[in-house]
Each structure stands twice: as structure tokens, then as C-alpha cells.
Amino acid sequence: MRLVLLGPPGAGKGTQASRIVERYYVPKLSTGDMLRAEVAAKSALGMQVEGILARGELVQDSILIEMIAGRIALDDCVNGFILDGFPRTLPQAEGLNTLLNDRLMKLDVVVSLDVDEAALLARIENRAKESGAAVRADDNAESLKKRLDIYQKQTAPLIAYYKNKGILKSVDGMASMDDVSASIYSILDALKH
Ligand code: AMP
């Protein structure tokens, strides 16, 4: 099973991806986690992208495509994977296509978490108030607004792109976490004949 979880920042992609990992035993490939690990390790790549992450901007496509190419080539991806946070631009989607074609693989489904952006902002403002401090450098209302803006411009076009390919499934991302999971499971269960 090879799938992409698509949705704006703050929509709960990470949580849903982790649940999918436990239920379907496919690894989660989160480009955000990978990049944060590079930053934490102070690697050359980490130093290069640290500011970009802190500002909530997108890291360049070629870096992401190379990172995912290396990750997909590992043994644990032979039976599938879930992509969380990638692709985020049309060139990344095209890059992914090429990578998969080269390996005679294809995506089974792209699950889009549809959300109300105003409600998302309210959600993250509450989260900031409750925790008293931002957990992530890029996790505050101002940064979320910027990331939502970038999402609209750069990532939202992927919805039409995958719809055209006939592999897009939309889920109401504003439902409760459990209801969102249930909707995703029914989509994924239907894939397994
Ligand atoms: P995330 O945890 O998915 O929200 O990613 C955190 C940050 O990592 C993003 O705000 C970007 O700066 C960077 N990032 C993660 N995935 C990508 C991607 N596919 N393309 C460009 N930048 C990315």
C-alpha cells in the first residue's frame, strides 16, 4: 500500500499517519520529521535548512526529492509506505512519479484531509494558550498563517493534480480524530481486495 496524506499544516496529518502505521504496518515517511532530525543532528543539510524551517517556508524541491528517493529505496518500503508532508509542490509530485515509475511502483491513493482554515487557526491558538509555550519553533498562529498561505499557493494544486489521475479521496478533516481515522481506514480497507 503506497499512499500520500495531503492536507494543510495543523490538519492532523501526523497523528493520522502514525495511526495508519500501527494498523497497516507500513512505514511513515515524514519529510518534516526527517528535516527536523537533520537540524537536530546539525548536519550540513540541517544547517542549510534550519532557517527555512523556522520561517515556515518550503525547502527546495531537489533536496526533498533526493531525500525521499533515498528513503524509498530502503528495504522497509518494499511493501509500501505512507508519505506525510510530501509532495508539497507540483515539481515534487512529478519527481515522486518519476521515482516510483523507475521502481515499477505507483501510488495507490492520495487521501486529502479537507479542513476549514479559520477553524484550524483557532485550534492552534488554543493549543498555544494551553501549553503556555510553542512546542515547535514553527508552531504558532503567525507561522501557521504563513504556512497555510504557502499551502494554498504551492500544495493545494496537488488536489486537482491527483484528482485528474483518479486516485484522490477526500475526507472531512474537521471531524473528530477518531472519525477521521475511521474514514481513512474505510478507504484503505477498500484498497485491499
Ligand atoms: P511538517 O512537519 O510537514 O509541517 O514540515 C515542517 C517543515 O519542514 C515545513 O514547514 C517545511 O519548512 C519543511 N518541509 C517538510 N516537508 C517539505 C516538503 N515536502 N517540501 C518543502 N519543505 C518541506
Side-chain angles (χ1 to χ4, degrees), residues 9 13 30-33 35-36 52-53 56-61 64 84-89 92 136 138 147:
K13 283 193 306 290
S30 159
T31 46
D33 286 351
L35 290 168
R36 279 185 290 274
I52 300 175
L53 262 71
E57 293 164 4
L58 293 187
V59 173
Q60 70 193 69
D61 292 331
L64 269 296
D84 163 23
F86 179 92
R88 256 180 165 92
T89 65
Q92 289 180 19
R136 267 167 55 179
D138 64 354
R147 290 193 291 141

Side-chain angles (χ1 to χ4, degrees), residues 41-95:
K42 299 193 188 300
S43 68
L45 174 59
M47 309 281 228
Q48 191 184 340
V49 302
E50 187 169 15
I52 300 175
L53 262 71
R55 291 192 297 276
E57 293 164 4
L58 293 187
V59 173
Q60 70 193 69
D61 292 331
S62 57
I63 292 182
L64 269 296
I65 293 168
E66 198 180 319
M67 218 168 71
I68 283 293
R71 186 61 190 85
I72 284 177
L74 299 185
D75 284 350
D76 65 338
C77 289
V78 286
N79 292 322
F81 47 78
I82 167 162
L83 287 167
D84 163 23
F86 179 92
R88 256 180 165 92
T89 65
L90 286 169
Q92 289 180 19
E94 294 287 5

